[in-house]
Amino acid sequence: VVSRTAKPGESSLELAEIHVPSGSPMVGTALRDTDFRTARNIIVLAMKSAEGEVAYNPSSDHIIEANGTLICVGYVDQLDQLAKDVKK
């Protein structure tokens, strides 16, 4: 977690880096085919590949890669759940 925008105990937005392991069910999925924005209210600001290349403001057809990192903003509980779901 990089930044908080509210006081403790309040609902807050956070900026988070979420690692996508090679066995993640999300590997190979286009952003448009995820529920990040619609159900989770999470915005993907950038995606970092395993090689360190960064795609800022990735398009909806950007593919989630194994061992990459999602750089997202959203509410704490939604980001925590995404981090768990990515590792399933």
Side-chain angles (χ1 to χ4, degrees):
V1 174
V2 179
S3 178
R4 288 187 182 261
T5 59
K7 297 174 186 172
E10 294 179 354
S11 182
S12 68
L13 290 173
E14 289 193 3
L15 185 62
E17 293 187 12
I18 300 174
H19 176 73
V20 181
S22 60
S24 172
M26 293 184 188
V27 170
T29 304
L31 284 178
R32 77 169 147 267
D33 297 327
T34 69
D35 65 351
F36 296 171
R37 188 177 278 264
T38 56
R40 300 174 191 257
N41 206 23
I42 291 173
I43 298 170
V44 178
L45 301 174
M47 297 172 76
K48 184 167 48 173
S49 71
E51 294 78 29
E53 293 181 30
V54 179
Y56 296 99
N57 192 24
S59 67
S60 63
D61 60 346
H62 203 96
I63 304 295
I64 297 172
E65 298 178 9
N67 297 311
T69 302
L70 303 171
I71 299 148
C72 307
V73 66
Y75 290 103
V76 177
D77 55 340
Q78 297 293 347
L79 291 168
D80 288 345
Q81 187 61 51
L82 177 59
K84 291 176 187 173
D85 291 347
V86 163
K87 294 179 177 145
K88 287 184 178 178

